[in-house]
Amino acid sequence: MEILEFTELNPVTLKMRIKVATGAIAREYDMVLADFIRNSNIQGFRPGKAPRKLVEIKVGSSEILRIARDKASHDAFKQALE
């Protein structure tokens, strides 16, 4: 996480622009996907044992990426506030 811009708009409002590292999003993607795999119930596989690619197709890799980006940006925002 990198703070790119920090601007005071008025006495009570601050604008902050942060950059989230690609590696952080990739780690979140893997964790979100692992969570979907753990909770998956796909016919022909024991619960939680479906292959990664099959879960990505069923859930949608764009949806997994959206969730991963949200989590990574939330974590980066909390870190930047500290």
Side-chain angles (χ1 to χ4, degrees):
M1 189 269 317
E2 176 184 348
I3 297 176
L4 300 177
E5 183 182 336
F6 192 72
T7 310
E8 186 174 333
L9 300 177
N10 59 50
V12 295
T13 306
L14 300 173
K15 177 182 174 182
M16 183 173 26
R17 229 179 73 182
I18 59 175
K19 181 178 180 180
V20 179
T22 306
I25 295 172
R27 283 188 299 277
E28 282 295 336
Y29 185 93
D30 289 339
M31 291 186 339
V32 169
L33 181 57
D35 196 35
F36 273 113
I37 290 171
R38 239 186 332 277
N39 296 314
S40 69
N41 190 11
I42 297 176
Q43 186 176 358
F45 297 95
R46 290 179 292 153
K49 299 297 181 183
R52 175 185 174 111
K53 281 292 180 193
L54 191 60
V55 174
E56 281 180 313
I57 291 168
K58 184 176 179 182
V59 175
S61 58
S62 60
E63 179 65 14
I64 297 169
L65 182 58
R66 184 192 63 76
I67 294 168
R69 275 194 223 139
D70 287 348
K71 287 185 173 193
S73 61
H74 179 73
D75 292 345
F77 179 70
K78 282 179 22 182
Q79 189 179 19
L81 286 178
E82 291 174 358

